[in-house]
Amino acid sequence: MNSDKAGTPAGDEPMHLVTIDWARGKWSGTRGEYSREHQWHFAGRLSLKVSDALSPAAYRDSARLDPLKSYVATIASAHMLAWLHVAFSHEVEVEKYLDTAEGVVTALPDGRCWVSEVILKPRITFNSQQQVAASAIAHFHELAQRDCFIAQSIKTKVTVRIP
């Protein structure tokens, strides 16, 4: 497979999706110190400057994106896409989907942390000609959670809070 292109997986064949590029940077020569800033180069030529969400500010340099935010965004985005597929498959016309997702970082007894929960808070606008019952919206979220390959790949609890 060409390493510059992401495609649809064939069976269990791995796909090249991202290259992670890090260098010690301004901390070179300082014992035990290192930059958390790095680059994500996605197949398809998009590059992003990233840092660490949990490290002290002095080590984060100027990057505004971090793996924690990206993890939460990935889960929220994948859920949204699965939800939209379910909704449109049920002939529900969606005009807007806005989610202010949150991540819950929980400390383990040994001091390490993990993302124990991602809370999705979608606000959905439907076509003005359609009335969609709250029970249907909730059911679509259940189906989206069941069918979302990202949700099926993580141990983090995903909670949907419908306003």
Side-chain angles (χ1 to χ4, degrees), residues 89-145:
S89 295
H90 285 85
E91 299 181 0
V92 172
E93 296 294 318
V94 181
E95 297 298 326
K96 186 172 175 77
Y97 185 112
L98 175 70
D99 190 349
T100 53
E102 299 174 346
V104 177
V105 177
T106 302
L108 295 168
D110 64 4
R112 293 177 299 138
C113 296
W114 74 294
V115 181
S116 60
E117 183 177 17
V118 169
I119 302 167
L120 307 178
K121 299 183 287 185
R123 291 183 299 188
I124 303 161
T125 305
F126 300 97
N127 181 292
S128 62
Q129 305 300 313
Q130 262 185 327
Q131 295 294 320
V132 182
S135 60
I137 295 168
H139 183 62
F140 293 170
H141 283 294
E142 292 168 8
L143 294 174
Q145 185 70 9

Side-chain angles (χ1 to χ4, degrees), residues 79 82 86 139-149 151-152:
H79 180 87
V86 170
H139 183 62
F140 293 170
H141 283 294
E142 292 168 8
L143 294 174
Q145 185 70 9
R146 181 198 72 192
D147 295 343
C148 177
F149 78 95
Q152 296 306 310

